Amino acid sequence: MDLVLFGPPGAGKGTQAERLVEKLDVPQISTGDLMRAERKSGSDLGKKFDEYMSAGKLVPDELVLELMKKRLSQSDAQKGAIFDGFPRTQPQAEALDALLSEMGRKIAKVVVIEVPVEDIVERITGRRVDPKTGQTYHVRYNPPPSGVEVEQRKDDTEEVVRTRFEGYKKKTEPVLPYYEKKGLVARVDGVGSLDEVTKRIETALGL
Ligand code: ADP
Ligand code: ADP
């Protein structure tokens, strides 16, 4: 099954994708995570990603698509995937359809996790990540267990999140009519506990 998790930064896409991985038995593919891994490797490509990511700007489509092509060619991604934070632009959406079509696949559903902007800033500034496992926590809503050392992403500041949110409104949200025309969109209320949101997504997917 190929599933897209859509929504503003901090909506809970990554958190919910992790939970769906076990249930659907397909990998989570997060372009943000792939870019952070590349950045950590210190490669030239990673440095390029960093310029955009630090400023909260979208990385150019060609670079994102190169990354995605490589990821989709890996063995664990042959039966389906949960796309988290991708596609984020119209060209990315069309390229994803073309890539999947070459593999005889197509998107089953686009789940939009809806969260108002007031909550987004609080979620993003409270987000913490365990650098060892990549597990995401929130200082208030999903605190890390004691003994787990967490970090804050450097783009998780109020200022940068506002730029990211503007980018979402301007370039990402306008992709939704493309999926709506195909009848693929399911909107889910993202306000509530982590478990409540998981249940709503499962209901939307008929799981
Ligand atoms: P969040 O879901 O919290 O917004 P991500 O980890 O998905 O964060 O993305 C972090 C940053 O990585 C984005 O602000 C952007 O610079 C870059 N990025 C991630 N995915 C994409 C994408 N599909 N297209 C363009 N840029 C991306
Ligand atoms: P995204 O991948 O959409 O950027 P994340 O899954 O990383 O979002 O979630 C952003 C932050 O909000 C994290 O700190 C996460 O723990 C927290 N979070 C996720 N879902 C909820 C929820 N339903 N209620 C409160 N906080 C949440």
Side-chain angles (χ1 to χ4, degrees), residues 8-15 123 127 136-138 141 190 192-194 197:
K13 302 180 294 296
T15 301
R123 285 191 186 186
R127 172 158 59 189
T136 298
Y137 298 98
H138 190 281
Y141 302 116
S193 71
L194 276 66
V197 178

Side-chain angles (χ1 to χ4, degrees), residues 7-18 28 30 84-85 88 113 115 119-120 122-129 136-142 153 156 164 190-197:
K13 302 180 294 296
T15 301
Q16 297 299 332
E18 274 165 25
Q28 166 191 8
S30 154
D84 152 19
R88 264 173 151 103
I113 306 179
V115 176
D119 295 81
I120 281 167
E122 199 197 356
R123 285 191 186 186
I124 291 273
T125 51
R127 172 158 59 189
R128 298 291 183 274
V129 184
T136 298
Y137 298 98
H138 190 281
V139 286
R140 187 156 155 217
Y141 302 116
N142 185 21
R153 270 169 50 178
D156 277 353
R164 282 155 63 196
V191 180
S193 71
L194 276 66
D195 287 345
E196 278 165 347
V197 178

Side-chain angles (χ1 to χ4, degrees), residues 152-183:
Q152 187 166 21
R153 270 169 50 178
K154 62 178 180 181
D155 59 338
D156 277 353
T157 61
E158 181 162 350
E159 192 198 349
V160 178
V161 84
R162 291 202 184 275
T163 310
R164 282 155 63 196
F165 186 72
E166 276 166 29
Y168 175 76
K169 284 283 170 197
K170 217 163 137 185
K171 298 213 173 110
T172 307
E173 211 172 45
V175 179
L176 277 179
Y178 172 77
Y179 288 127
E180 258 154 8
K181 270 186 220 128
K182 296 174 188 269

Side-chain angles (χ1 to χ4, degrees), residues 59-70:
V59 170
D61 290 333
E62 315 83 74
L63 297 180
V64 183
L65 290 169
E66 206 178 298
L67 205 64
M68 184 52 63
K69 257 185 222 157
K70 219 157 117 195

